[in-house]
Amino acid sequence: MANEKGVRGSVLFAGYRSLGLYSNHVPHVVRYHKKHKEFYLVTAVGKSFLTYNVNKLGQVAVSNALPEEITCLAADRMLVFASYGNLLKAFARNKEIIHTYKGHESDIHLVLPFGDHVISVDTNNTVIVWDILSAEEYLQLNFDKGNFDISAVMHPSTYINKILLGSQQGSLQLWNIKSNKLLFSFPGWQAGVTVLQQAPAVDVVAIGLANGKIVVHNIKFDETLMTFQQDWGPITAISFRTDGHPIMAAGSPIGHIGLWDLEEKKLMSQMREAHSTAIAGLTFVHGEPLLITNAADNAIRVWIFDGPGGQGRLLRFRLGHSAPPTFVRYHGQDGKHILSAGQDGAIHSFSTIHDRYSKSLGHGSINKAKAKKVGLRCTYLRLPPVVCFASETARQNDWDGIIACHQRKSYCTTWNFVRSTMGAHKLKPPNLKTKGTYATAVDITSCGNFVVIGLSAGNVDVYNIQSGIHRGSYGEDTAHDGPIRGVAVDGLNQMTVTAGDDKLIKFWKFKSKQLMHTVDIEVTPTCILLCRESGMLSVALEDFSIKVLDIETYKLVRRFPGHNGKINDMTYSPDGRWLLTASMDCTVKVWDFPSGCLIDCFLLDTPVVSLTMSPTGDYLATAHVDDLSLYLWSNKSLFSMVSLRPLPSNYEPVVVMLPGAAEEEEEEIVEVEEVSEDMMEYESPEQLGERLVTLSLLPESRWKNLLNLDVIKRRNKPKEPPKLPKSAPFFIPTLPGLVPRFVTEVEDESTQSKVVNLGVLERKSVFCVQLEESLKHENCKRSRLFCLDSV
């Protein structure tokens, strides 16, 4: 039974999509669609690639996933080419794989579309030219890695059937792939070639070297036109403006971009800290003053050059976590925004509706004003990563609505969601005696006015988030004899619940700070979670089990066996019926409160470090170990019938693929079959028992009026018996004549005159009316008397 259900996967959740992943170290590709007359941007994200329109930077397509990470991207006017391992795939419509090119014995690291062919280069220095449509090998070239280790490939404009190869030794070779001949060799500039880029001028190529030098060379006459030097390390990307300005942009490994004036042969300006990591891709949009950049910091930026001095300004961007997220929570009751805190120290808001509504709240800083002056790379002023946070939307338009707890910091920071920035207050407990004390747990009240902070020394303090003023502490000296594992406040600000390392759960009055009750749970808790609607307090313990307490009666109401590893996070369904838990054993389990049973469990490749359920119940969001993305899982119970049966104790789940990952077709077929077997329809008999009342299945509108049936019958009773219609003749009589005419037509013409009686429109006097009446009734005496009286 366990194996059958294990093949089924998750009963309640199905993978939907990923959030917050935009770019990696693979250079992007810019395409132009002639039919749409629009530029599109293609970026690799792990095993798939994303397609954006450049105008709005909106995501328009997600490709099918490959079995491994994408190592190289390229595109022509029709297809997108992506390589992984020693295979090259061709995608149509930005999604479907239509061609596979097999033949390399090592990993592919360079790809170049070349008319009806595509060129791929592997790490063994093998160059293969493929026919795109037939996917057959057209030509293969092998080079000695010791003499010519290929590091760059390019097709010079107007050079038919020719490609230019650059090597790590610094030399260049020009080949004719049709005749398979080496046309010319360039000795190089005593440094390895990293980038080859065609200039707007014919025969001119820009060559980026590993020593930071950029050489603009004429390959027709083998003449160097100009040379530039960047002191930021090897050149990672080069692009030229094509809108009439002789500007060349060059990327660097530290995130800076240099803008060079080709007419005056000098550095025009610098774009420092364009990215926090090496510039992976850099492309000027053809005929427009737009520069697109991407890097391994999970960011895409579009810069526009419309101001004086040639300095670019940021126009549009898509930005995610540069380090894996560790804590996620839905913000607000509409289920449209997910707040996420990562190891990079930043807090982001991701929209489940559209990427344009996503935003970054920035990094926490020790000195906000000074950090703003120093710039992006002031790492010594940054606060450590956020461990946990709590948010509330009640008063977010008036003051800060987010409280964040930083790693091993004694104070907590406030954040403003509306202004997308860190707040003005750093909430630190007054008269802190113990050194090395740091905040461990936070919570914010439902009214958005107060925050509760638990410390590693056992203190629990209350602050006003608007003013940052300390409003009291729980307990005489400390609330617990050990670090605080969790704090929670009920929905009416009547009770505060604290859990400590001393294996105690304490219930306090929120305003008076008096201790109301203490519960000994016998095992050290790791975290707590309160459902404010139902008053159920879930406590995750160090023995990997879960206990549920009722905060009204202080009694244990449920005990769940839990997991086989540390429980990382918990969340409730919107109705408070389900408890979802995630553990280091890579499983996510769903517990049903009314039945006290496990109703769903699925296994993942990597452990879930944090999860949160949408307030509307449509999605489950998860964050995973060493993964930059957030994953959304759709709730299948909202759009289909789901049979929730208690799972056995020996249930063994199978691995469920993350949204966007590649799945085998066989697994999909098995999953559909098992779900259909599990969903058996129950047919109810017409009468359950002789002494039982059987209710109708008809809607309320069909049976609600039965009580008033007599009134309805009296109201609808006919007043007179029905009359038979006059029988019409079978043949309609006609009149004699050349043109056949029916008798009814003649009668209609006689009754209806075509002469308009204008007298009807005239206003009649009283005397005229009397005369007409006397004529109708033949009573002239009355008219005569009336005439005499009038005289």
Side-chain angles (χ1 to χ4, degrees), residues 709-773:
L709 189 60
D710 296 337
V711 178
I712 296 174
K713 287 183 177 181
R714 289 197 303 268
R715 185 183 61 189
N716 296 337
K717 185 178 180 181
K719 297 180 180 180
E720 55 184 19
K723 297 180 180 179
L724 292 175
K726 295 181 180 180
S727 59
F730 186 78
F731 294 104
I732 301 176
T734 58
L735 296 176
L738 295 177
V739 179
R741 299 179 67 187
F742 295 104
V743 176
T744 55
E745 295 180 3
V746 177
E747 293 178 356
D748 294 341
E749 291 179 1
S750 61
T751 55
Q752 297 179 1
S753 176
K754 295 183 180 180
V755 179
V756 179
N757 186 7
L758 298 177
V760 179
L761 302 177
E762 297 178 356
R763 187 175 180 180
K764 300 179 181 179
S765 63
V766 178
F767 178 68
C768 181
V769 172
Q770 294 292 335
L771 289 177
E772 288 180 353
E773 290 181 356

Side-chain angles (χ1 to χ4, degrees), residues 28 30 41 54 57 237-243 247-251 256-259 269-271 274-275 279 281-294 300-306 310-317:
H28 66 262
V30 177
L41 170 69
V54 176
L57 214 58
I238 296 176
S239 184
F240 292 88
R241 286 185 67 172
T242 56
D243 60 339
I247 304 298
M248 178 184 67
H256 300 336
I257 298 175
L259 299 174
S269 63
Q270 302 177 22
M271 298 172 60
H275 289 270
I279 304 294
L282 185 145
T283 306
F284 274 107
V285 179
H286 182 74
E288 297 182 20
L290 298 177
L291 176 65
I292 304 174
T293 61
N294 80 299
I300 303 172
R301 290 183 169 92
V302 179
W303 312 82
I304 185 170
F305 296 83
D306 56 353
Q311 185 71 27
R313 63 178 178 87
L314 187 61
L315 180 63
R316 287 180 289 269
F317 66 92

Side-chain angles (χ1 to χ4, degrees), residues 389-405:
F389 60 82
S391 66
E392 183 57 51
T393 59
R395 305 302 296 270
Q396 68 175 3
N397 293 322
D398 301 322
W399 51 74
D400 300 338
I402 303 172
I403 180 71
C405 170

Side-chain angles (χ1 to χ4, degrees), residues 590-612:
V590 183
W591 310 89
D592 186 60
F593 278 120
S595 63
C597 298
L598 175 67
I599 58 174
D600 193 16
C601 176
F602 56 96
L603 184 66
L604 300 167
D605 289 326
T606 56
V608 175
V609 294
S610 184
L611 78 168
T612 178

